[in-house]
């Protein structure tokens, strides 16, 4: 803008028009100066306050933007633009609930104004209300089909709802109009990774960082991608860059912990794993513990409550620590899911359901997966890797008919995990992937698969006889072994010391480490890993070969 317009002789109208023009061209500092000039002549003028707030917000001056937006709303409560800037500031301040309130007021005042509806969609997205974000963004696009803000938010919401294909189409449209939109590159990259289009996803993430090297979310996402590729050193370095920008960025702290654990650095990994309690996805699942947090001090004379978390397999995996704690404490109680109770009855601990009130005499408490951090666990000192659980005697007797007959081996088979797991698409097998195993001579398979996919193969199924994990343990007791994907029954077999072959995705869970066919967690487990993400042919061949070698050993004599 011509400096003459900023001269003291310029009228408020000229300054206001100049501010709008400067903002439209991306010169936010000049826009703020113009609106300041208006306010010097017309103090408290609501439209100038709202527009200066928008310019200041664009410059990242959140405190000043919030003051101006609040002043505009106070002076003219029916000024939708003031509420919109207030909403934008609250999103940036990490107050999505406040942003929803502000944008909802803007929509109430101007229901046909697409930018207000798009802002409300963005606020819902920030709050994690992805379905509502998608609905509001679609309304904004109906009002203005050219609204890229709404298109970007709709794509982001659909991606979060597990619809990466339509999301990518929307991001493509945003990027066609705005090739330098780093957020669209970031989110398209994440959506592509969700479809296992890893190379394309990495290109997008690196392009986003070329535009904005300080885009912390892109650094954290690229760290996940490098972890998938097994490059944990670069993943940790990327997380360190994001954390340097924002030490409280829980996603990067968590991603750093996962990469460290995969690399076998338990000290770093389990310390960073504590950030799960502040992670935007996992954190809301953690309620306050009902007693002071146990941090490793003496348990003599004290009652410790251990609260299970995450999946059933995690509870089984970390139950190995409980007998040693029970030997030190007056009492240890595990709060967990009731179907697991039969497994833990012999561990010398108390049991209660997760939704039951805590025992009245509890002195201290800990979330179960914090135990390795508090106990300073190292890979060489994992307790009870040879097994620590046994099937209940009654269940052993109930399933005695499953004992292998003369001249045969019997293996359990599980090909899919819980479909609600966030990595289930990668860890569960596609239909028919295990058919080759049925050609093994002298081996009979029985299906232990539960859920919608239990009838994928025409083999004997025991699903109807499985009532809880005690029953599953009773079945496993009689089998020669288990072949399974990475799901809770793998942990049960390992905890029982039962031979178990686990088929792993190239993007596997941290607990299986990298590049190993064995695991320090369970002596009886053999790992069969994908070489390429999505290609299960290698792991299935590896299991076939392993079971064939077992066939060279003496058979059961029944």
């Amino acid at each position: 803008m011509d400096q003459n317009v900023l001269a003291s002789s310029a009228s408020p109208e000229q300054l206001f028009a100049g501010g709008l023009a400067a903002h439209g061209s991306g010169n936010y500092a000049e826009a703020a100066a113009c609106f300041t000039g208006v306010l010097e002549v017309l103090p408290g003028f609501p439209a100038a306050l709202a527009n200066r707030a928008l310019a200041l917000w664009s410059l990242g001056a959140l405190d000043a933007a919030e003051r101006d937006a609040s002043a505009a709303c106070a002076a003219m409560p029916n000024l939708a633009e003031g509420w919109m800037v207030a909403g934008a500031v609250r999103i940036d301040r990490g107050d999505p609930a406040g942003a929803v309130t502000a944008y909802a007021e803007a929509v109430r005042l101007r229901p046909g104004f697409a930018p207000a509806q798009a802002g409300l969609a963005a606020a819902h997205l920030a709050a994690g209300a992805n379905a509502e974000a998608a609905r509001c963004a679609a309304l904004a696009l109906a009002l203005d089909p050219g609204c890229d803000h709404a298109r970007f938010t709709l794509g982001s919401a659909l991606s979060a709802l597990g619809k990466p294909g339509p999301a990518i189409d929307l991001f493509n449209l945003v990027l066609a109009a705005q090739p330098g939109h780093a957020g669209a590159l970031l989110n398209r990259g994440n959506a592509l990774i969700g479809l296992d289009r890893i190379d394309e996803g990495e290109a997008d993430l690196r392009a986003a960082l070329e535009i904005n090297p300080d885009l912390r979310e892109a650094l954290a996402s690229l760290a996940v991608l490098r972890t998938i590729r097994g490059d944990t050193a670069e993943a940790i370095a990327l997380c360190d860059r994001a954390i340097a920008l924002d030490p409280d960025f829980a996603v990067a702290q968590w991603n750093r912990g996962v990469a460290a654990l995969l690399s076998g650095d338990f000290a770093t990994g389990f310390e960073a794993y504590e950030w799960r309690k502040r992670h935007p996805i996992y954190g809301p699942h953690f309620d306050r513990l009902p007693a002071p947090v146990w941090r490793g001090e003496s348990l003599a004379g004290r009652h410790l409550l251990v609260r299970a978390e995450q999946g059933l397999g995690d509870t089984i995996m970390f139950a190995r620590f409980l007998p040693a704690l029970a030997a030190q404490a007056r009492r240890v109680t595990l709060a967990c899911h009731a179907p697991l109770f039969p497994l833990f009855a012999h561990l010398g601990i108390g049991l209660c359901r997760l939704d039951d009130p805590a025992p009245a005499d509890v002195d201290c408490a800990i979330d179960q997966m914090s135990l390795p951090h508090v106990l300073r666990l190292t890979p060489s000192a994992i307790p009870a890797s040879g097994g620590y659980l046994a099937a209940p005697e009654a269940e052993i007797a109930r399933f005695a008919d499953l004992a292998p007959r003369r001249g045969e081996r019997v293996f359990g088979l599980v090909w899919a995990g819980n479909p609600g797991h966030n990595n289930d698409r990668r860890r569960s097998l596609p239909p028919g992937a295990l058919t080759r195993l049925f050609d093994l001579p002298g081996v009979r398979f029985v299906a232990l698969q539960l859920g919608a996919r239990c009838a994928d193969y025409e083999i004997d199924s025991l699903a109807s006889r499985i009532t809880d994990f005690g029953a599953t343990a009773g079945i496993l007791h009689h089998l020669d072994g288990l072949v399974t994907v990475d799901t809770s029954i793998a942990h049960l077999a390992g905890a029982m010391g039962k031979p178990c072959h686990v088929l792993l995705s190239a993007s596997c869970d941290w607990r299986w480490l990298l590049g190993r066919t064995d695991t320090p967690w369970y002596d009886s487990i053999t790992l069969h890993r994908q070489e390429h993400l999505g290609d299960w042919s290698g792991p299935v061949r590896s299991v076939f070969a392993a079971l064939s070698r077992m066939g060279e050993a003496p058979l059961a004599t029944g």
Side-chain angles (χ1 to χ4, degrees):
M1 179 181 178
D2 192 294
Q3 290 298 311
N4 291 327
V5 178
L6 291 173
S8 58
S9 60
S11 69
E13 292 80 1
Q14 289 175 306
L15 288 168
F16 195 90
L20 294 178
H23 193 280
S25 64
N27 193 338
Y28 305 123
E30 185 175 317
C34 286
F35 295 123
T36 297
V38 174
L39 290 164
E40 288 172 351
V41 180
L42 301 171
F45 181 41
L49 283 167
N51 279 285
R52 187 172 70 177
L54 181 59
L56 291 167
W57 170 77
S58 300
L59 291 167
L62 297 186
D63 289 342
E66 187 168 31
R67 283 194 299 270
D68 275 0
S70 297
C73 292
M76 189 175 180
N78 64 347
L79 182 64
E81 288 80 358
W83 291 104
M84 290 170 63
V85 181
V89 170
R90 288 171 189 173
I91 289 177
D92 284 355
R93 288 203 181 282
D95 177 17
V100 168
T101 300
Y103 275 117
E105 180 64 11
V107 168
R108 186 188 70 79
L109 293 167
R110 294 189 65 180
F113 190 39
Q117 194 69 248
L120 181 58
H124 282 303
L125 184 70
N130 298 311
E132 186 63 13
R135 186 187 72 81
C136 291
L139 285 174
L141 284 169
L143 293 167
D144 178 7
C147 182
D148 278 329
H149 183 198
R151 189 170 286 113
F152 170 73
T153 302
L154 179 57
S156 302
L158 291 177
S159 186
L161 290 167
K163 300 176 181 179
I168 289 168
D169 292 339
L170 288 161
F171 296 135
N172 287 343
L173 291 172
V174 173
L175 288 163
Q178 302 179 52
H181 195 305
L185 285 164
L186 162 65
N187 288 358
R188 187 175 70 178
N190 286 332
L192 288 165
I193 293 166
L195 291 174
D196 291 343
R197 293 162 62 179
I198 303 299
D199 291 341
E200 296 170 79
E202 181 164 5
D204 270 0
L205 295 178
R206 293 196 183 277
L209 288 168
E210 284 289 325
I211 295 166
N212 182 0
D214 292 340
L215 187 58
R216 60 176 198 166
E217 293 83 1
L219 291 166
S221 291
L222 188 56
V224 172
L225 186 147
R226 298 312 302 170
T227 300
I228 291 172
R229 292 198 184 279
D231 188 351
T232 56
E234 185 184 1
I236 290 169
L238 288 161
C239 289
D240 286 343
R241 283 175 57 190
I243 292 165
L245 294 166
D246 180 2
D248 291 326
F249 186 23
V251 173
Q253 294 277 11
W254 159 265
N255 291 350
R256 185 176 187 273
V258 169
L261 287 170
L262 263 173
S263 71
D265 181 356
F266 280 17
T268 300
F270 280 120
E271 180 179 12
Y273 202 70
E274 292 299 293
W275 282 86
R276 70 195 185 280
K277 299 171 188 178
R278 296 173 60 181
H279 193 286
I281 295 176
Y282 311 121
H285 297 288
F286 286 89
D287 296 324
R288 185 174 180 177
L289 286 164
V293 177
W294 182 59
R295 303 188 186 280
E297 66 274 14
S298 172
L299 287 171
R302 306 179 77 194
H303 184 176
L304 171 67
L305 176 72
V306 179
R307 183 172 67 182
E309 54 174 298
Q310 301 187 42
L312 300 174
D314 299 290
T315 308
I316 294 169
M317 180 180 182
F318 288 90
R320 70 181 71 229
F321 299 108
L322 301 180
L325 296 176
Q328 302 169 39
R330 174 169 59 86
R331 182 171 178 78
V332 169
T333 295
L334 174 66
C336 67
H337 294 283
L340 294 169
F341 282 10
L343 295 180
F344 304 141
H346 70 289
L347 293 183
I349 61 173
L351 295 167
C352 67
R353 292 176 175 82
L354 279 167
D355 53 359
D356 286 344
D361 62 340
V362 164
D363 299 297
C364 49
I366 189 170
D367 290 303
Q368 190 181 17
M369 296 184 74
S370 292
L371 288 172
H373 173 54
V374 168
L375 297 172
R376 303 293 184 263
L377 187 71
T378 64
S380 61
I382 294 174
S385 59
Y388 49 93
L389 296 181
E393 290 295 331
E395 299 293 354
I396 293 174
R398 183 159 77 96
F399 291 103
D401 59 302
L402 297 178
R405 297 184 290 270
R406 180 187 299 273
E408 74 168 2
R409 289 182 172 81
V410 182
F411 282 80
L413 205 60
V414 175
W415 49 86
N418 178 356
H421 188 280
N422 62 5
N423 199 41
D424 191 65
R425 182 182 57 80
R426 289 178 177 149
R427 69 171 182 165
S428 291
L429 296 169
L434 293 174
T435 301
R436 176 179 182 179
L437 297 185
F438 304 146
D439 294 332
L440 281 161
V443 176
R444 179 166 64 92
F445 289 99
V446 292
L448 305 186
Q449 179 68 47
L450 301 177
R453 293 188 56 190
C454 65
D456 274 12
Y457 298 99
E458 294 182 1
I459 58 175
D460 292 338
S461 173
L462 299 176
S464 63
R465 300 178 67 181
I466 297 175
T467 52
D468 57 25
F469 275 84
T472 306
I475 292 169
L476 287 175
H477 175 88
H478 292 288
L479 302 184
D480 291 290
L482 175 71
V483 176
T484 180
V485 295
D486 178 13
T487 189
S488 57
I489 196 171
H491 294 282
L492 176 56
M496 293 174 64
K498 179 65 63 172
C500 178
H501 297 269
V502 180
L503 299 103
L504 288 181
S505 165
S507 175
C508 70
D509 193 86
W510 59 262
R511 67 206 70 214
W512 304 121
L513 304 174
L514 291 173
R516 299 177 60 142
T517 59
D518 66 339
T519 165
W521 294 99
Y522 304 106
D523 293 345
S524 65
I525 284 184
T526 302
L527 305 175
H528 305 266
R529 299 175 180 271
Q530 287 181 346
E531 292 185 14
H532 305 288
L533 194 61
D535 181 4
W536 288 105
S537 59
V540 173
R541 282 196 305 271
S542 180
V543 170
F544 187 97
L547 297 189
S548 296
R549 288 192 296 272
M550 288 181 66
E552 298 170 2
L555 293 169
T557 56

